[in-house]
Amino acid sequence: MRRIPAVLAISLLALATAPLALGGAPELRWGGDAEGGAPYVFANPRNPRETIGFEVDLAKALGQKLHRRAVFVQNQWDGLISGLERGDYDIALNGLEITADREREINFTIPYYATSEQLSVRADDHSISSLADLKGKTVGTLKFSFAERVLEREGGIKLRTYDGQINAYEDLANGRLDAVLMDWPIAVYYSKPNPKLKFAGGPISEIRYGIGIRKQDPALLKQLNAALASLIESGELQRIYEKWGLWNGATQTLFAQVGSNPQAYEDYTKSVTRQLGWSQRLRQYAGYLPLLLGRGAPMTLAISLLGMAVAVSVGLLLALTNLYGSFFPARSARAFIEVMRGTPLLIQLYLIFYGLPSVGIRLSPFVAAIVGLGLNYAAYEAENYRGAIQAIPRGQMEAALSLGMTRAQALRHVILPQAMRLAIPPVTNDFISLFKDSSIVSVITMVELTKVYGELASTYYDYIGVGLLTAAIYFLLGLPFVRLARWAEEKLAFDRLTAAPLKRRWFGVGAKPATG
């Protein structure tokens, strides 16, 4: 029994010293996106469990200066600032360009790297050497990046934005793009080694990376600025960049400026930081509408309507083949339906847009979006039609055949008209779903309503206000189609006992009361 107090004491001692055993020092949690790729933060090709990159080395060096253990926190790049404000990590460190609009939301340290944008073109293209040569050309870049703003400011350029740099350079090599504009470090790692591509022109628009910190953490900002200044002065930061092949003249000039007068930079960042009042914010919301309604909504409508047209047509063909086709076509239709319903729409879009070029089929983003949405929803429409057709009593087909009709005539004149009426509610429901799912096509560079929302929200860091506006636009755009479906039900109804005047229901939405 005397052993119990001793064991308890040892356990308490072990618990008390556990933090020391795990490293002891407090954590410096830094947010980044490991999917962003080299040379920033990425999985070691030789050991995928290890995360490497020049910003990983920088975080470790800062942690040593601050006597804190650097801990990486994965976060989507375009949501880095939101995650920082939520308190998911202490700092955002992942190639964040210092811009005035970002500085309205967060503080930045003194810049730790300077670089520029770099144009890449196909190796056999000699027509592009500057931004001016991009007029009328199709150019790719990362979404929400500084390069995207440079291209938008230039104007007259067909812009396509991507979640990852690899896809942009692949599209350039495959002939879908005329050029790609990205930060110089990305171009060095993804464009320069590709024999199908080459750099075009010189540096464009110098940019500086800074570490993002919440405005409520002025003490941490001061500590990090001191740590960065120390790393610059000791030459350790230069050694990190040389290790990754990123040391350049712009950074050398920057370090000389920061080392001589860091206070001047801090004064500059304070001067561009500005808080918006309510009236200014409301005017800002009004300014969003032309972009949301003029740029995003028309594309969402076009993709949804054309995608649904494909879905309805192909779905009917699949349903008829499945029910009345011979063995092999019927089984093929059934297999198509199950595969399309059983795999994610996102993967199907990736395969159509990025996979098909490997077999020589290159679809434009618009066509790929319509084909992807149409084929995916065709599987669901086929099941809607199958259920509606099978709901028609078998005797009606037999009666039509007994009157001398062929099976095709019986389907066209007797079965399908009744089945279509039954299928209208689920088909309408699927259209509303497709309307919302059209937001997924932004992954294949389509700029539709949700993409415009993302651009505005990430630019102004206002996810609530812009989100409510976008949701209202989706709702209002969907209402006319709900009303149209109710009208079609009314016109096609043969049993008036269940039909009700539209004006009795608000906007035609809601359950239909019996009229007696």
Side-chain angles (χ1 to χ4, degrees), residues 2-285:
R2 289 181 180 176
R3 290 183 178 178
I4 294 177
V7 171
L8 184 60
I10 292 172
S11 301
L12 291 173
L13 181 61
L15 288 173
T17 58
L20 292 177
L22 294 173
E27 294 178 345
L28 176 64
R29 294 168 61 80
W30 63 284
D33 185 3
E35 293 181 3
Y40 302 86
V41 184
F42 60 103
N44 187 344
R46 297 177 180 176
N47 179 15
R49 295 181 179 180
E50 181 187 9
T51 302
I52 59 175
F54 81 90
E55 288 178 331
V56 176
D57 293 346
L58 173 57
K60 290 178 181 175
L62 289 171
Q64 289 173 355
K65 289 289 181 184
L66 300 179
H67 305 291
R68 299 173 67 172
R69 185 163 57 93
V71 176
F72 174 67
V73 179
Q74 168 63 33
N75 198 92
Q76 191 76 12
W77 190 85
D78 53 19
L80 274 179
I81 294 179
S82 299
L84 178 67
E85 292 178 329
R86 283 197 307 271
D88 296 343
Y89 32 82
D90 303 313
I91 60 175
L93 170 57
N94 196 193
L96 278 181
E97 300 101 344
I98 300 174
T99 58
D101 52 350
R102 286 175 178 157
E103 285 177 314
R104 283 197 289 267
E105 304 300 321
I106 60 174
N107 284 329
F108 276 102
T109 62
I110 58 174
Y112 63 85
Y113 188 68
T115 183
S116 59
E117 303 295 345
Q118 178 62 54
L119 266 178
S120 296
V121 298
R122 282 184 294 282
D124 58 354
D125 189 344
H126 305 287
S127 63
I128 297 174
S129 60
S130 67
L131 285 177
D133 297 330
L134 299 178
K135 302 288 185 184
K137 306 281 188 181
T138 305
V139 184
T141 189
L142 290 174
K143 65 180 182 181
F144 311 138
S145 65
F146 182 76
E148 182 182 5
R149 301 182 190 187
V150 170
L151 294 170
E152 287 176 342
R153 192 167 58 234
E154 185 68 17
I157 299 171
K158 299 172 186 174
L159 181 61
R160 289 187 189 167
T161 56
Y162 295 77
D163 289 311
Q165 54 264 43
I166 296 176
N167 294 333
Y169 286 117
E170 281 183 352
D171 275 2
L172 176 61
N174 288 330
R176 280 194 178 121
L177 299 175
D178 297 307
V180 168
L181 182 69
M182 291 201 191
D183 294 1
W184 180 78
I186 299 174
V188 167
Y189 273 73
Y190 290 94
S191 172
K192 200 171 184 179
N194 190 335
K196 297 180 181 177
L197 308 178
K198 67 176 182 180
F199 284 2
I204 298 172
S205 299
E206 182 178 307
I207 53 178
R208 296 178 174 186
Y209 295 159
I211 301 173
I213 302 163
R214 286 183 292 274
K215 287 187 177 293
Q216 299 82 4
D217 291 335
L220 180 59
L221 175 65
K222 192 173 181 180
Q223 292 171 7
L224 284 170
N225 279 337
L228 280 172
S230 176
L231 291 173
I232 292 171
E233 186 179 357
S234 67
E236 187 172 352
L237 205 46
Q238 180 178 343
R239 285 192 289 275
I240 290 174
Y241 296 144
E242 288 174 342
K243 169 187 170 184
W244 291 96
L246 299 174
W247 181 247
N248 56 27
T251 305
Q252 187 174 9
T253 304
L254 167 69
F255 283 6
Q257 294 172 352
V258 171
S260 61
N261 189 12
Q263 186 61 42
Y265 178 76
E266 293 182 11
D267 292 341
Y268 165 76
T269 59
K270 288 179 182 176
S271 67
V272 297
T273 302
R274 184 168 60 94
Q275 295 294 330
L276 294 178
W278 277 106
S279 60
Q280 293 172 309
R281 196 167 288 277
L282 288 175
R283 283 197 296 272
Q284 187 167 283
Y285 289 155

Side-chain angles (χ1 to χ4, degrees), residues 295-500:
R295 186 184 176 198
M299 184 57 70
T300 293
L301 275 176
I303 293 171
S304 302
L305 290 173
L306 293 174
M308 197 62 194
V310 172
V312 168
S313 306
V314 177
L316 181 59
L317 182 63
L318 288 170
L320 294 176
T321 306
N322 184 28
L323 289 173
Y324 302 107
S326 56
F327 179 81
F328 183 74
R331 292 294 182 274
S332 299
R334 191 72 223 165
F336 179 86
I337 292 169
E338 297 304 334
V339 169
M340 296 305 286
R341 288 198 310 172
T343 54
L345 173 60
L346 183 63
I347 292 178
Q348 293 168 15
L349 285 171
Y350 275 131
L351 289 174
I352 290 171
F353 190 69
Y354 295 113
L356 288 183
S358 62
V359 295
I361 302 175
R362 293 190 179 94
L363 301 178
S364 68
F366 184 72
V367 174
I370 293 169
V371 171
L373 287 170
L375 293 183
N376 180 272
Y377 273 84
Y380 295 95
E381 301 319 304
E383 289 300 275
N384 289 336
Y385 294 137
R386 183 179 66 82
I389 291 171
Q390 290 180 330
I392 306 301
R394 185 188 297 270
Q396 295 203 27
M397 172 64 83
E398 294 172 351
L401 294 176
S402 68
L403 291 174
M405 290 184 178
T406 64
R407 184 180 293 275
Q409 289 173 327
L411 278 172
R412 179 183 174 185
H413 298 291
V414 179
I415 304 300
L416 286 182
Q418 300 178 73
M420 289 300 105
R421 182 181 62 83
L422 296 176
I424 286 176
V427 169
T428 305
N429 190 51
D430 282 345
F431 176 74
I432 299 300
S433 297
L434 183 148
F435 189 60
K436 292 180 291 185
D437 281 351
S438 64
S439 61
I440 299 177
V441 303
S442 63
V443 301
I444 56 172
T445 74
M446 287 301 301
V447 180
E448 38 67 61
L449 193 52
T450 301
K451 179 69 178 297
V452 175
Y453 156 69
E455 291 175 353
L456 290 171
S458 65
T459 299
Y460 298 100
Y461 306 104
D462 182 4
Y463 289 87
I464 296 177
V466 186
L468 290 174
L469 268 179
T470 308
I473 291 172
Y474 268 110
F475 179 71
L476 293 174
L477 288 177
L479 272 183
F481 297 101
V482 175
R483 179 70 179 256
L484 181 64
R486 296 294 188 197
W487 176 84
E489 284 182 57
E490 185 85 7
K491 288 294 181 185
L492 294 174
F494 61 85
D495 183 0
R496 295 289 177 178
L497 291 176
T498 59

